[in-house]
């Protein structure tokens, strides 16, 4: 145990020293301040300041009103009157992976186990390849929820399928049952996590060893009437998010009617024949915004 | 030891890179750009929103910088100094500020200014706006439902007069964003009459919020108004499926089957255990 | 307990064997102990480090733990079906082998579920099953079915041992603790007609109940896989397929155990070639049934050639992937036993045991092949750079735990044979019971005869 702690603090020390060193060199005036910061245990963020310098700011100073995620019991009830859906326009995806990055960042994931995958798809030999961003489909008839022996995975009235990792027993039946491989498991002790945060199934933070996780549609954002992080992160507007009941989806810059969008662009759901009734729709990759380009060598998938 | 070398190496690298940056900054100050917008929201709160950005490879917003707001007439009067937030925005609430000068036509002129710093250039921007009012109302003629918008401007001596040819956008308010469904110009009386988008779903009562907006108009800035009415298609609350495979409670047939099977087996176990007791009791008979 | 001469001779022989452990027995125990220690070490490592020490990853979420689980539950069929059915059918030759079969059942039903526990990510939350259990989940079905089954098979084994326990109670052991324990367990059984009647009735009930229960347990097990939307799993014949595979492997293990104990305790005069022959024939029939199910399963999915199914089949039939394993598990492991047992010339105790061992091994491999290739072929393309995410290889930890399970099985079995004679010593005293039944029947017949006589005399009168 002592050993473990030691390792941890060394890692912390290391990650702190580098930015502090930058700050120190950046301006003489900052030296005193950064020395203080080195003693301070709070997490830092690098920012561009008013005078054009890269500075370190306490993370807590930035988030003025820290959002308090709802506790596990409350997270079982959906947001009333809503039914969330996502639409992915395959014609606009060029494998930029910004959604993956922002998702990893906000869920404090390491790149080796992302919630979002961008898959290279090719339906058959003669048809053209395309990129397919894939999250959890939040099915209306979710195979994972059916098989969970303890109800750790559940379906909410607003369409979301969430996981309570304080209840999960780690049997991985849900992973075996999910036809879309949406879930990841914490095989070992999770890395790089903000352990002090109160756990909520709505943020999926902090993760726990021996439990299962997946894309959660960022319910903490939804409660603040904001779209999930991946939607705003996409530079090409390929991802739409919205409320099926209100029949409107937005990709951050434009808002369209869900029904019109699906009608006009022949939207479909992936493997409809499985009867899972996903809440993620795809728009076929026709009239593409970008030509298809193979992934750079060594890109994690 | 090994890790010490690593640290020295990294710090050394950082010194080199950082030194390079310092030189670059000395040689050339970075360009900033400030923009300002007049916004009147549906609560009739008027604000000036200044947005400050700095040119790196592209423009990125600059936070924590002080922006000065002036009212401009023949002379400039400083109204306030406000720090930009993390989106690089400084927001000044106009209110009934007596320092603000209004000319005979009703125009108010403002200037926003950023002074710059040792490494950043300063920048400023002026705008002139005229105050206006936008009202949304609903009415029904025969069976057709209409939205009506009336736009009035406020002149130098606070008298109002209709605005003609003003471009107004119509939205339905959603959870995350506004859905645009119409765009129209005001007529001679400063009015617009458009049909209500009857196919839009509302909440459980069909309640819908219609937003009318003048967006970044040269004279009137951004003006927003809202109205609520229950003309949308009511979306019934989906009754939660009870006792399904995915619910907390199991389907009844499943419960019954399970109970039947288990109790049949366990009944026999109990019977056999009872038999064993009887064997114990029967030792003396015969 | 009054014993006839034959039984008391047997009892004397077994009790002398029970109180000592021979040299080879010691070696056997020591080896098993080392393996168990290895498993203990692996267990501790796994608990400290998490499942990262196994070969399982996000795609192949279940590995050999689950294969072992199905395997052990499978061999538990030996007792349930073989001894249950043979008991109900009153097959004469069953007597010397049913004890072995019943012990197999109890021990493997104890060890099997342990693998499920090993597979669980959060063992510390086991009580959540009771707190939040959802009976829609096949795992809950499994938990309920297996506990019921375990308790049932313990009761069955106990009932079938009461007569021997009573005999042992009355046997003068040197160490007194044995007599004390036997006394408690023997519930004052003295072989009175009433007691015999109660006991036989209980045995009948239990053997009748244990059969459907065993079928159900293995069906439920198959449904864990069958209820998912996965190629190679989502199959309607999975439940009967699993049941047949289970009885097949159970019979195989029974034959092996018979062979081992026959050698070790020198039981040549009790367990004879007849028993091997009969069981061999049962094994052969089951093998044929199993082959039929296998053929039907793979033919159907191959003929339909759905893309997703084909991916699994491609893995199974690809020489670079699982073909040789499949060849061994589904063809060698089934055809060989059938041929060897079918041809009288090949049929002898050793050959039957050898093919049983092959069949049992093949069935373990088959369980592996049911689980892993399917998980390696997800619906969405597997685009991962890390080889361990694409292909599952069990780690040392998993192997250690697997062997520990087998070792534990052998050890428990061995220790049990030191507690109870491995063959039933006291013959079921069906005599009294049958006598009663006979007299009852006689009475009925007498009454019938009287009635007919009366009728006839009335007829005569009428005339
Ligand atoms: S791994 Fe957790 S969430 Fe998944 S089925 Fe098991 S208990 Fe439920």
């Amino acid at each position: 145990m002592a050993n473990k702690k030691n390792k941890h603090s060394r890692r912390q020390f290391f990650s702190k020293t580098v930015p502090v060193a930058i700050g120190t060199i950046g301006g003489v005036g900052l030296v005193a301040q950064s020395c203080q910061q080195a003693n301070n245990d709070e997490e830092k963020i690098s920012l561009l300041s008013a005078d054009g310098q890269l500075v370190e700011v306490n993370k807590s100073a930035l988030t003025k009103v820290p959002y308090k995620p709802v506790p596990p019991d409350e997270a079982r009830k959906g947001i009333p009157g809503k039914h969330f859906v996502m639409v992915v326009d395959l014609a606009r995806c060029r494998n930029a992976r910004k959604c993956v990055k922002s998702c990893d960042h906000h869920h404090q994931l390491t790149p080796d186990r992302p919630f979002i995958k961008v898959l290279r798809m090719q339906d058959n030999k003669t048809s053209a390849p395309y990129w397919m961003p894939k999250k959890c489909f939040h099915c209306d008839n979710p195979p994972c929820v059916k098989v969970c022996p303890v109800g750790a995975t559940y379906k909410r009235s607003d369409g979301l399928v969430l996981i309570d990792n304080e209840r999960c027993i780690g049997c991985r039946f849900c992973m075996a049952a999910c036809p879309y491989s949406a879930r990841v498991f914490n095989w070992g002790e999770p890395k790089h996590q903000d352990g002090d945060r109160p756990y909520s199934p709505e943020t999926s933070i902090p993760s726990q060893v021996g439990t299962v996780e997946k894309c959660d549609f960022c319910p903490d954002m939804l409660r603040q009437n904001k779209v999930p992080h991946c939607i705003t992160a996409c530079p090409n507007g390929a991802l739409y998010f919205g409320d099926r009941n209100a029949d409107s989806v937005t990709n951050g810059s434009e808002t369209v009617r869900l029904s019109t969008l699906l009608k006009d662009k022949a939207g479909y759901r992936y493997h409809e024949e499985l009867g899972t009734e996903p809440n993620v729709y795809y728009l076929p990759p026709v009239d593409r915004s970008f030509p298809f380009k193979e992934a750079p060598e060594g890109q994690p998938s | 030891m090994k890790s010490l070398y690593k640290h020295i190496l990294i710090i050394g690298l950082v010194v080199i890179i950082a030194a390079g940056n310092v030189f670059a900054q000395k040689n050339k100050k970075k360009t900033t750009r400030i923009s300002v917008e007049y916004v009147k929201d549906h609560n009739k709160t008027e604000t000036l929103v200044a947005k400050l950005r700095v040119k790196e490879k592209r423009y990125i917003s600059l936070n924590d910088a002080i922006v000065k707001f002036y009212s401009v007439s023949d002379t400039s009067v400083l109204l306030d100094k406000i720090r930009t937030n993390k989106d690089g925005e400084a927001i000044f609430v106009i209110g009934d500020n007596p320092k603000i000068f209004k000319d005979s036509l009703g125009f108010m002129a403002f200037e926003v200014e950023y002074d710059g710093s040792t490494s950043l250039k300063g920048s400023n921007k002026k705008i002139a706006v005229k105050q206006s009012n936008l009202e949304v109302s609903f009415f029904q003629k025969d069976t057709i439902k209409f939205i009506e918008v009336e736009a009035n401007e406020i002149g130098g001596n606070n008298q109002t007069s209709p605005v003609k040819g003003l471009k107004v956008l119509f939205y339905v308010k959603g959870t995350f964003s506004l859905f645009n469904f119409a765009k129209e110009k005001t007529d001679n009386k400063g009015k617009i009459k458009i049909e209500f988008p009857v196919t839009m779903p509302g909440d459980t009562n069909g309640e819908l919020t219609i937003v009318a907006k003048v967006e970044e108009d040269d004279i009137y800035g951004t003006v927003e108004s809202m109205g609520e009415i229950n003309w949308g298609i009511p979306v019934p609350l989906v009754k939660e499926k009870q006792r399904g495979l995915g619910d907390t409670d199991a389907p009844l047939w499943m419960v019954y089957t399970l109970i039947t099977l288990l109790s049949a087996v366990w009944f026999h176990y109990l019977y056999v255990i009872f038999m064993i007791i009887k064997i114990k009791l029967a030792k003396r008979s015969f | 307990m009054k014993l006839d001469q034959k039984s008391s001779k047997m009892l004397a022989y077994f009790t002398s064997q029970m109180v000592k452990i021979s040299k080879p027995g010691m070696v056997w125990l020591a080896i098993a102990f080392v393996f168990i220690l290895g498993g203990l070490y692996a267990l501790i490592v796994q608990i400290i480090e998490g499942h990262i020490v196994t070969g399982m990853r996000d795609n192949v979420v279940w590995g050999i733990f689950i294969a072992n689980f199905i395997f052990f539950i499978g061999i538990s069929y030996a007792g349930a079906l073989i001894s249950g059915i043979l008991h109900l059918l009153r097959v004469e030759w069953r007597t010397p082998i049913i004890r072995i079969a019943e012990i197999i059942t109890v021990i493997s039903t104890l060890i099997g579920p342990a693998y499920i526990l090993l597979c669980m990510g959060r063992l510390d939350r086991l009580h959540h099953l009771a707190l939040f259990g959802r009976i829609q989940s096949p795992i809950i079905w499994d938990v309920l079915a297996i506990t019921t089954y375990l308790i049932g098979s313990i009761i069955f084994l106990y009932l079938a041992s009461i007569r021997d326990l009573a005999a042992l109670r009355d046997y003068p052991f040197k160490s007194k603790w044995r007599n004390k324990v036997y006394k408690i367990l023997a519930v004052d059984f003295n072989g009175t007609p009433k007691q015999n009647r109660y006991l036989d009735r209980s045995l009948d009930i239990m053997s009748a109940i244990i059969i459907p229960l065993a079928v159900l347990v293995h069906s439920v097990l198959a449904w864990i896989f069958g209820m998912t939307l996965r190629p190679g799993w989502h199959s309607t014949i999975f439940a009967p397929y699993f049941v047949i595979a289970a009885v097949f492997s159970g019979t195989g293990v029974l034959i092996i155990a018979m062979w081992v104990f026959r050698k070790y305790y020198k039981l040549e005069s009790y367990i004879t070639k007849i028993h091997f022959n009969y069981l061999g024939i049962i094994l052969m029939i089951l093998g044929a049934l199993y082959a039929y199910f296998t053929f039907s399963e793979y033919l159907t999915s191959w003929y339909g050639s759905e893309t997703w199914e084909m991916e699994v089949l491609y893995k199974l039939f690809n020489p670079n992937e699982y073909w040789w394993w499949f060849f061994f598990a589904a063809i060698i492991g089934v055809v060989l036993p059938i041929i060897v047992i079918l041809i009288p010339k090949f049929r002898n105790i050793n050959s039957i045991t050898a093919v049983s061992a092959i069949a049992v091994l093949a069935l373990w491999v088959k369980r592996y092949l049911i689980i892993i290739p399917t998980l390696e072929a997800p619906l969405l393309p597997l685009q991962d750079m890390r080889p361990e995410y694409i292909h599952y290889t069990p780690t040392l930890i998993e192997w250690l735990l697997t062997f520990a399970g087998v070792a534990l099985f052998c050890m428990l079995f061995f220790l049990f044979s030191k507690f109870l004679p491995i063959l039933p010593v006291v013959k079921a005293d069906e005599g009294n019971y049958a006598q009663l039944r006979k007299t009852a029947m006689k009475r009925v017949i007498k009454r019938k005869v009287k009635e007919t006589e009366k009728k006839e005399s009335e007829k005569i009168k009428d005339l």
Side-chain angles (χ1 to χ4, degrees):
Chain A
M1 196 56 216
N3 191 13
K4 217 176 186 179
K5 226 180 192 167
N6 231 330
K7 238 195 253 164
H8 191 61
S9 61
R10 194 188 306 150
R11 193 199 302 142
Q12 266 183 356
F13 171 74
F14 189 71
S15 67
K16 261 177 213 157
T17 15
V18 177
V20 168
I22 299 172
T24 318
I25 296 146
V28 187
L30 280 170
V31 174
Q33 204 190 337
S34 33
C35 284
Q36 264 178 357
Q37 279 172 356
N39 298 333
N40 201 334
D41 250 9
E42 240 183 305
E43 205 181 324
K44 307 292 193 299
I45 273 188
S46 303
L47 276 180
L48 196 67
S49 82
D51 46 359
Q53 308 283 0
L54 193 69
V55 288
E56 292 282 290
V57 185
N58 283 349
K59 203 175 183 183
S60 57
L62 270 184
T63 38
K64 271 172 238 143
V65 196
Y67 174 74
K68 250 184 88 195
V70 298
D73 279 342
E74 197 130 325
R76 291 196 160 250
K77 292 174 219 125
I79 303 171
K82 311 272 180 200
H83 193 105
F84 298 110
V85 286
M86 191 182 279
V87 181
V88 181
D89 189 348
L90 297 173
R92 292 195 195 175
C93 178
R94 63 173 171 93
N95 191 27
R97 285 170 191 265
K98 291 283 192 281
C99 55
V100 183
K101 240 184 235 159
S102 76
C103 175
D104 286 357
H105 175 71
H106 284 98
H107 288 101
Q108 304 188 359
L109 304 170
T110 44
D112 57 318
R113 42 188 295 280
F115 286 172
I116 307 178
K117 282 183 185 142
V118 183
L119 298 170
R120 181 197 187 277
M121 301 293 279
Q122 187 164 17
D123 296 343
N124 55 59
K125 270 191 208 128
T126 38
S127 74
Y130 59 93
W131 293 105
M132 179 171 130
K134 186 215 62 169
K135 304 110 199 282
C136 171
F137 287 172
H138 292 267
C139 308
D140 279 344
N141 183 18
C144 54
V145 172
K146 288 197 249 178
V147 299
C148 182
V150 291
T153 283
Y154 52 88
K155 177 85 185 163
R156 306 204 309 186
S157 62
D158 57 1
L160 302 198
V161 174
L162 295 186
I163 301 159
D164 180 353
N165 82 8
E166 287 180 341
R167 190 185 279 194
C168 172
I169 59 168
C171 64
R172 304 191 285 286
F173 199 178
C174 52
M175 298 180 83
C178 175
Y180 308 113
S181 321
R183 294 169 167 247
V184 291
F185 191 71
N186 289 301
W187 296 100
E189 200 66 53
K191 292 171 241 168
H192 305 302
Q193 284 227 329
D194 184 359
D196 303 334
R197 274 170 78 161
Y199 172 72
S200 167
E202 295 209 341
T203 55
S204 307
I205 299 173
S207 338
Q208 288 194 45
V209 62
T211 59
V212 78
E213 279 186 310
K214 66 168 186 68
C215 155
D216 53 14
F217 269 10
C218 305
D220 54 330
M221 296 295 280
L222 305 182
R223 284 211 191 258
Q224 303 170 71
N225 285 348
K226 289 180 193 154
V227 289
H229 300 290
C230 53
I231 308 293
T232 39
C234 178
N236 309 319
L239 307 175
Y240 292 83
F241 193 87
D243 180 2
R244 191 174 75 186
N245 289 348
D247 197 23
S248 82
V249 286
T250 177
N251 63 359
S253 55
E254 79 181 306
T255 302
V256 282
R257 282 188 79 164
L258 174 68
S259 49
T260 326
L261 185 68
L262 295 179
K263 224 178 270 163
D264 289 353
K265 299 213 168 158
Y268 66 96
R269 297 191 289 190
Y270 195 67
H271 277 274
E272 182 83 51
E273 77 277 10
L274 292 179
T276 50
E277 297 185 33
N279 274 315
V280 174
Y281 292 83
Y282 284 96
L283 305 179
V286 286
D287 297 333
R288 306 206 200 169
S289 317
F290 308 97
F292 180 83
K293 227 169 72 201
E294 290 295 345
E297 193 92 8
Q299 181 181 56
S301 197
Chain B
M1 267 332 261
K2 222 176 181 178
S3 70
L4 187 67
Y5 284 135
K6 217 198 239 160
H7 282 222
I8 291 172
L9 192 71
I10 288 171
I11 291 174
L13 272 177
V14 166
V15 168
I16 291 165
I17 294 164
N21 278 341
V22 169
F23 283 127
Q25 279 162 9
K26 257 188 197 157
N27 291 343
K28 209 168 142 206
K29 281 193 175 185
K30 283 179 187 147
T31 318
T32 59
R33 182 192 269 183
I34 195 162
S35 61
V36 63
E37 204 188 330
Y38 163 89
V39 176
K40 183 173 185 179
D41 70 9
H42 60 273
N43 294 326
K44 300 210 186 306
T45 316
E46 293 164 277
T47 50
L48 285 177
V49 181
K51 198 162 166 60
L52 186 56
R53 283 175 301 172
V54 62
K55 192 175 180 185
E56 289 283 335
K57 275 191 193 108
R58 56 200 166 94
Y59 278 98
I60 59 169
S61 36
L62 183 63
N63 59 298
D64 222 20
I66 292 172
V67 173
K68 293 177 188 158
F69 290 83
Y70 296 99
S71 171
V72 185
S73 52
D74 300 334
T75 53
S76 295
V77 183
L78 180 67
L79 298 169
D80 207 349
K81 290 180 189 176
I82 294 170
R83 267 181 196 277
T84 52
N85 61 17
K86 73 168 187 274
D87 297 322
E89 284 177 350
I91 299 165
F92 169 72
V93 181
I94 295 175
D96 291 330
N97 199 322
K99 285 191 211 160
I100 295 173
F101 175 78
K102 206 176 196 182
D103 73 5
S104 57
L105 290 170
F107 274 103
M108 304 186 291
F110 298 99
E111 181 174 1
V112 288
E113 187 174 29
Y114 170 59
D115 286 342
S117 72
T118 47
S119 58
L120 296 177
K121 287 185 192 163
S123 52
N124 66 340
K125 181 93 185 172
K126 280 185 191 161
I127 52 160
V129 286
K130 208 168 186 180
Q131 285 172 306
S132 61
N133 271 330
L134 210 56
E135 294 300 336
V136 178
S137 55
F138 305 94
F139 69 92
Q140 191 168 358
K141 204 169 172 190
D142 303 327
T143 53
I144 308 168
K145 292 162 174 164
F146 288 100
I147 306 171
E148 191 177 57
V149 160
E150 199 178 341
N152 287 305
E153 60 174 24
I154 304 167
N157 38 15
N158 283 345
Q159 92 284 19
T160 58
S161 51
V163 189
K164 316 183 238 193
L166 184 65
K167 207 165 80 184
V168 180
L169 288 98
F170 291 87
Y171 297 93
V172 176
K173 195 167 180 273
T175 318
F176 306 109
S177 56
L178 300 173
F179 169 68
N180 175 258
F181 65 92
K183 200 197 291 181
E184 205 66 58
K185 279 193 175 149
T186 50
D187 61 9
N188 283 343
K189 288 181 208 143
K191 282 186 183 175
I192 300 172
K193 201 170 79 179
I194 60 161
E195 264 185 55
F196 190 86
V198 279
T199 56
M200 282 307 286
D203 64 4
T204 42
N205 301 320
E207 195 87 33
L208 265 185
T209 307
I210 299 290
V211 179
K213 232 175 162 184
V214 174
E215 283 179 6
E216 295 173 26
D217 188 82
D218 291 342
I219 302 170
Y220 304 101
T222 299
V223 186
E224 189 186 304
S225 179
M226 260 186 198
E228 271 175 33
I229 194 148
N230 61 349
W231 284 352
I233 300 166
V235 175
L237 265 184
V238 200
K239 246 200 244 145
E240 278 180 49
K241 239 201 305 167
Q242 295 287 309
R243 296 196 170 276
L245 281 177
D247 296 312
T248 315
D249 299 322
L252 279 177
W253 72 263
M254 211 176 237
V255 180
Y256 293 146
T257 314
L258 203 78
I259 291 176
T260 316
L261 285 177
L262 277 180
S263 52
V265 175
W266 281 90
F267 167 76
H268 284 94
Y269 287 1
L270 291 180
Y271 179 73
V272 167
I273 290 167
F274 173 64
M275 277 298 179
I276 294 172
I277 296 169
K278 268 176 98 172
I279 289 177
K280 184 149 181 111
L281 296 178
K283 65 177 168 177
R284 301 237 179 274
S285 60
F286 274 77
Chain C
M1 263 315 264
K2 265 185 261 136
L3 295 178
D4 58 20
Q5 211 187 351
K6 200 177 146 210
S7 294
S8 19
K9 231 174 80 191
M10 230 171 129
L11 185 70
Y13 175 68
F14 274 111
T15 44
S16 70
Q17 290 285 326
M18 274 160 62
V19 292
K20 66 164 194 238
I21 296 177
S22 67
K23 261 230 186 85
M26 275 311 223
V27 175
W28 188 4
L29 266 188
I31 292 173
F33 196 65
V34 169
F35 273 111
I36 290 169
L37 280 186
L40 221 55
Y41 161 76
L43 179 65
I44 292 169
V45 171
Q46 185 183 301
I47 286 175
I48 291 174
E49 301 272 314
H51 280 65
I52 193 98
V53 296
T54 67
M56 296 182 273
R57 288 298 177 267
D58 285 345
N59 293 301
V60 184
V61 292
W62 289 338
I64 55 173
F65 287 160
I66 300 287
N68 293 341
F69 167 59
I70 310 174
F71 177 76
F72 275 109
I73 298 291
I75 60 180
S76 77
Y77 264 46
L81 282 196
I82 302 292
S83 76
I85 290 177
L86 297 187
H87 178 95
L88 278 187
L89 296 180
R90 303 274 187 271
V91 177
E92 265 312 313
W93 53 266
R94 77 176 191 278
T95 326
I97 61 172
I98 52 169
R99 174 74 44 81
I100 298 179
E102 281 151 13
I103 298 172
I104 291 177
T105 302
V106 172
I107 297 177
S108 55
T109 318
L110 276 172
I111 294 177
Y115 282 104
I116 278 281
L117 301 184
L118 288 178
C119 194
M120 265 174 59
R122 298 298 300 227
L123 204 49
D124 53 321
R125 296 182 181 166
L126 195 57
H127 60 282
H128 284 196
L129 285 174
L131 284 180
F132 309 111
R134 291 172 71 249
I135 63 169
Q136 298 98 314
S137 168
I139 288 195
I140 296 290
W141 307 347
D142 235 351
V143 170
L144 292 173
I146 290 180
T147 36
T148 308
Y149 179 55
L150 177 63
I151 290 170
S153 45
I154 289 174
I155 296 178
F156 190 41
L157 172 65
Y158 172 66
L159 287 175
S161 314
I162 284 188
R163 289 194 172 98
D164 283 6
L165 288 167
L168 289 166
R169 171 198 61 201
D170 300 338
Y171 185 85
F173 281 103
K174 274 210 199 85
S175 44
K176 282 287 156 251
W177 68 267
R178 276 187 187 261
N179 291 76
K180 266 183 210 149
V181 175
Y182 293 136
K183 184 170 163 36
I184 296 169
L185 290 177
V187 285
D188 291 335
F189 187 84
N190 272 318
T192 63
K194 232 185 188 168
Q195 282 182 326
N196 272 325
R197 207 163 59 226
Y198 293 149
L199 187 56
D200 287 332
R201 192 187 298 164
S202 307
L203 269 170
D204 281 352
I205 288 174
M206 282 318 289
S207 52
I209 267 209
I210 212 90
I211 296 165
L213 198 55
V215 171
L216 209 63
V217 166
H218 232 74
S219 304
V220 168
L221 205 60
W223 287 335
I224 286 195
F225 303 96
M227 296 298 157
T228 61
L229 301 168
R230 289 260 183 177
W233 287 4
H234 191 55
S235 153
T236 44
I237 67 162
F238 239 42
Y241 188 21
F242 264 52
V243 171
I244 291 296
V247 205
F248 185 46
S249 63
T251 313
V253 170
L254 177 59
I255 292 176
I256 299 170
M258 272 160 55
W259 188 86
V260 170
F261 283 112
R262 181 169 179 269
K263 272 265 143 60
Y264 185 77
Y265 286 125
K266 312 211 165 32
L267 303 175
E268 282 81 358
S269 53
Y270 301 106
I271 304 177
T272 59
K273 191 171 176 210
I274 295 196
H275 297 106
F276 283 91
N277 270 354
Y278 281 152
L279 277 182
I281 286 164
I282 292 181
L283 186 79
M284 185 185 77
I285 295 168
L286 289 169
L289 266 175
Y290 175 67
Y292 158 70
F293 270 107
T294 311
F295 187 68
S296 153
E297 165 82 4
Y298 291 102
L299 177 72
T300 319
S301 50
W302 173 78
Y303 203 100
S305 61
E306 214 185 316
T307 334
W308 203 9
E309 293 270 359
M310 283 313 273
E311 232 168 279
V312 177
L313 287 193
Y314 177 77
K315 276 177 181 296
L316 288 177
F317 296 155
N318 183 354
N320 295 325
E321 297 209 42
Y322 294 107
W323 164 246
W324 293 111
W325 289 114
F326 184 79
F327 182 69
F328 171 68
I331 299 173
I332 300 282
V334 185
V335 174
L336 201 65
I338 294 180
I339 290 176
V340 168
I341 297 165
L342 197 62
I343 300 173
K345 215 170 72 185
F346 294 158
R347 205 189 295 153
N348 62 47
I349 293 180
N350 288 335
S351 71
I352 291 176
T353 311
V355 292
S356 299
I358 289 173
V360 169
L361 211 61
L363 275 226
W364 187 88
V365 176
K366 186 71 211 310
R367 267 64 177 254
Y368 186 92
L369 292 181
I370 284 175
I371 298 161
I372 283 79
T374 287
L375 287 171
E376 281 180 0
L379 176 62
L380 281 148
L382 230 176
Q383 293 171 3
D384 209 302
M385 311 302 283
R386 296 157 291 180
E388 75 267 29
Y389 275 69
I390 299 170
H391 191 81
Y392 167 77
T393 3
T395 57
L396 180 68
I397 299 287
E398 286 169 284
W399 284 121
L400 281 177
L401 283 163
T402 303
F403 288 124
V406 179
L408 190 66
F409 179 82
C410 297
M411 185 155 108
L412 287 180
F413 212 153
F414 185 68
L415 292 181
F416 203 89
S417 76
K418 296 290 164 196
F419 179 71
L420 258 185
I422 202 71
L423 309 184
V425 170
V426 185
K427 269 196 79 183
D429 194 10
E430 280 170 49
N432 287 324
Y433 193 33
Q435 202 66 45
L436 285 177
R437 241 192 306 186
K438 242 183 241 165
T439 41
M441 282 302 276
K442 263 185 201 153
R443 226 178 289 143
V444 174
I445 293 168
K446 242 184 224 163
R447 203 170 62 225
K448 281 254 169 81
V449 172
K450 250 185 206 161
E451 271 170 23
T452 32
E453 272 172 9
K454 218 182 190 176
K455 264 184 203 159
E456 280 188 3
S457 59
E458 271 169 15
K459 259 186 207 162
I460 293 167
K461 255 183 205 164
D462 283 349
L463 285 172

